[in-house]
Amino acid sequence: MRRTLIFGLLALVLGMGNLSGQELVSSALSRDTIMIGDHVEWVSKFNLPSHFTLKIDSMAGYVVPGVELIGEFKIDTVSKRRGISQVEARATLTSFDSGSYKIPPLVVYIYNGEHLEDTLRLKELPLEVTTVPIDTASYQMFDLRSNFNYPVTVAEVAAWSGLGLAVVALIVLAVYLIRRYRKRDNPVDSRPQKREAAHIVALRELDNISQEKLWQDGKEKLFYTKVTDALRVYIEERFMVKTMERTSAEILLELSDKELDASDRKILEEIFAVSDFVKFAKYRATQQENEETIPKAVKFVTNTYLRDE
Amino acid sequence: MDTVNIKELNERIQKESAFVDILSMEISKVIVGQKHLVENLLIGLLAGGHILLEGVPGLAKTLAINTLASSVNADFNRIQFTPDLLPADVLGTLIYSQKSEQFQIKKGPIFANFILADEINRSPAKVQSALLEAMQEKQVTIGDQTFKLPEPFLVMATQNPIEQEGTYPLPEAQVDRFMLKVVVSYPKKEEEKLIIRMNNSGSFPKANAVLTPEDIIKARDVVKDVYMDEKIERYIVDIVYATRTPEEYGLGKLKDLIAYGGSPRASISLAMASKAYAFIKRRGYVIPEDVRAVCYEVLRHRIGLTYEAEAENITTENIISEVLNAVEVP
């Protein structure tokens, strides 16, 4: 009874279809010839009573060896009119092997609610897959392509970027601290500083010694030590002779090949001789020797200082 | 302030040290060149310090001390140190006399004013110790009797720097007992020519006795009177300290090169040798030049070098030069 009803309905739809010039079921490929790897749309259309549903037999993977179904069938109701629904089933096919194929018949199950009313097997479809023609005249062999590198995502590089930035920050901090430490260790300003001329320093020092009135207070040894020290510092600066670690005789010997007048050399010898006597031999210099020492030292400095040419 | 009349002091030293020139002249009649050696012999003689001589054979080491002994009219003994030498061979021993049926004391060759301990490093430590103890104490005990050694008593020990096999190098503690270590070098060409002539002439000159041992003892007392200022004392201490803690004197680079620095005995010897040198130069007071003049001889055997220094061929003379160039002269 039920079967009779369905055939009656299908006959009605068929009759209406005939009336409107529409097929009840159709299945076609968007192209019958494709290049290897190309996609082709497989579209099947069904005109069914509105309360009928359909289900396509799932065909995952290869439809036939050499042809591949990409994704699932997408079933959609395109229109509904006078109790008849037009349902469309779409799928995408591709092939990676050239040749002639026959897409096997599509199997469609028609349901009335939960009840399977009928099973339809649609016609086979031809598909021609062509390959790239090889120009044998200018044939050139190419190497295999290397693996395709997918672009790196931000999430993947975020951790490494953070680590890199931290290392750079540490290096910058270390350089800053080292520079600061060196600057503190050597607080000398990098700008050239004006140095006082050796004779200016020596004359000021001799003047200070004179004002301290050391020999007048009985501090003769200190007086001669200070005078000879001032002269040694001056000679070291002026004549580039190491003096602080040299004895009087050694200083005079090293000065022998420097430009020094005999009179100035004599002055220096006299000062050093008296100073060595006082410093090392408990010698008490005469008042005249004490009085003459500073003027002699000043004379030596003023006679020998380096003049601008 | 306790003052010293420099004129008076110098006059006294001039008078007392007059023999130095005579002695030097007498020695130079026999010894050609080697002024440095003779000068250091006199320093040791006047300062009462013993001398360690280092030099290859044939540099007139024996002749120098023999001539000095002849010039001073003093006893001289030479002891050739050999591996089989015993302490008794140096100091003396008790010998049983069958005639008197008693043990008699036989004094060793150390009982003389001047001793030449030739090639001291050829004898084992027990003989070296015996000699060095006698040098330090200036007395020797044989049996149960102690004998003072004659005054002046000067030991000049030699060691050959080129032969090391079969030798017993002197331990540091014993080397320290020598006031001076003198390195004897070859004579100059002209001097060597003169030496050949003198030897070939057949009449080798002999030194006359111009002094007595008493003169030397008297001179030693005068040397002790040579004035040494506190500044010089500080300079000496600075030099010796710089060998111990060089980094305190801006010589940080020497720190890894020096195993040990000069001992307090080095400071004492440096002071005494400086005074003797000032005396020889006929001065009544010590100046920094005197200290610097004797510094190498006093310190070269008292500074220990590390392996790093030896690997870099750095000598104690290099260390002393660095120290003298860094320590401020008063």
Side-chain angles (χ1 to χ4, degrees), chain B residues 144-181:
Chain B
D144 55 358
Q145 275 188 283
T146 300
F147 300 94
K148 284 258 176 208
L149 290 169
E151 282 287 341
F153 178 65
L154 173 70
V155 174
M156 192 172 85
T158 69
Q159 49 180 24
N160 185 340
I162 54 173
E163 283 179 56
Q164 296 301 319
E165 212 168 314
T167 60
Y168 302 85
L170 289 171
E172 286 78 9
Q174 299 200 345
V175 172
D176 197 35
R177 295 183 186 192
F178 288 96
M179 176 184 264
L180 309 171
K181 179 180 176 182

Side-chain angles (χ1 to χ4, degrees), chain B residues 152-313:
Chain B
F153 178 65
L154 173 70
V155 174
M156 192 172 85
T158 69
Q159 49 180 24
N160 185 340
I162 54 173
E163 283 179 56
Q164 296 301 319
E165 212 168 314
T167 60
Y168 302 85
L170 289 171
E172 286 78 9
Q174 299 200 345
V175 172
D176 197 35
R177 295 183 186 192
F178 288 96
M179 176 184 264
L180 309 171
K181 179 180 176 182
V182 182
V183 176
V184 188
S185 54
Y186 290 108
K188 291 172 190 159
K189 276 185 181 175
E190 285 303 311
E191 290 169 350
E192 197 147 341
K193 210 163 76 181
L194 205 58
I195 293 167
I196 294 170
R197 274 188 204 162
M198 280 172 72
N199 277 273
N200 287 349
S201 67
S203 58
F204 205 83
K206 281 197 172 181
N208 299 315
V210 289
L211 283 176
T212 62
E214 290 71 30
D215 292 331
I216 298 298
I217 294 164
K218 200 175 153 196
R220 280 183 179 180
D221 290 337
V222 180
V223 167
K224 282 177 191 164
D225 287 344
V226 170
Y227 175 70
M228 179 177 278
D229 193 81
E230 182 267 338
K231 277 176 178 286
I232 301 290
E233 288 171 353
R234 203 167 58 223
Y235 183 50
I236 289 171
V237 171
D238 276 340
I239 289 171
V240 176
Y241 256 79
T243 66
R244 297 176 198 165
T245 52
E247 65 277 11
E248 286 179 21
Y249 294 83
L251 292 168
K253 61 180 176 179
L254 299 185
K255 197 183 170 191
D256 294 333
L257 304 176
I258 300 174
Y260 56 88
S263 63
R265 199 182 270 150
S267 306
I268 297 165
S269 297
L270 195 51
M272 282 307 295
S274 303
K275 281 189 173 190
Y277 187 80
F279 181 86
I280 290 169
K281 295 293 169 190
R282 310 188 77 171
R283 242 185 294 105
Y285 56 95
V286 179
I287 57 173
E289 276 92 337
D290 302 329
V291 180
R292 289 166 82 94
V294 296
C295 206
Y296 289 91
E297 279 67 36
V298 172
L299 291 180
R300 64 159 59 100
H301 55 298
R302 291 185 160 105
I303 296 171
L305 296 176
T306 61
Y307 288 115
E308 285 93 329
E310 283 171 11
E312 291 174 29
N313 282 332

Side-chain angles (χ1 to χ4, degrees), chain A residues 218 221-222 225 229 232 242-250 273 276-284, chain B residues 1-4 6 10 227-232 285-289 292 324-330:
Chain A
K221 201 190 258 189
L222 184 62
T225 302
D229 281 355
R232 280 171 165 195
K242 207 172 178 189
T243 55
M244 298 313 284
E245 297 81 19
R246 298 280 184 273
T247 63
S248 305
E250 286 168 344
D276 282 355
F277 276 156
V278 174
K279 285 196 285 184
F280 308 126
K282 276 195 173 181
Y283 172 63
R284 174 152 276 183
Chain B
M1 192 173 79
D2 182 24
T3 58
V4 173
I6 191 69
N10 272 339
Y227 175 70
M228 179 177 278
D229 193 81
E230 182 267 338
K231 277 176 178 286
I232 301 290
Y285 56 95
V286 179
I287 57 173
E289 276 92 337
R292 289 166 82 94
L324 290 179
N325 280 331
V327 175
E328 212 166 281
V329 175

Side-chain angles (χ1 to χ4, degrees), chain A residues 23-41:
Chain A
E23 287 181 291
L24 284 176
V25 177
S26 65
S27 184
L29 294 173
S30 57
R31 288 181 288 163
D32 58 359
T33 303
I34 59 168
M35 285 284 284
I36 191 166
D38 267 2
H39 290 182
V40 61
E41 287 288 317

Side-chain angles (χ1 to χ4, degrees), chain A residues 52 54 65 89 136 139 177 187 202 207 217 248 258 264 302:
Chain A
F52 275 36
L54 64 84
T136 52
Y139 179 75
L177 288 175
D207 187 45
D217 294 342
S248 305
K258 306 280 178 189
D264 295 326
T302 49

Side-chain angles (χ1 to χ4, degrees), chain A residues 214-238:
Chain A
L214 292 169
W215 66 265
Q216 292 89 337
D217 294 342
K219 297 174 184 169
E220 277 184 20
K221 201 190 258 189
L222 184 62
F223 170 72
Y224 282 98
T225 302
K226 283 193 163 192
V227 170
T228 48
D229 281 355
L231 285 176
R232 280 171 165 195
V233 172
Y234 167 71
I235 292 166
E236 190 158 317
E237 290 281 318
R238 166 64 182 86

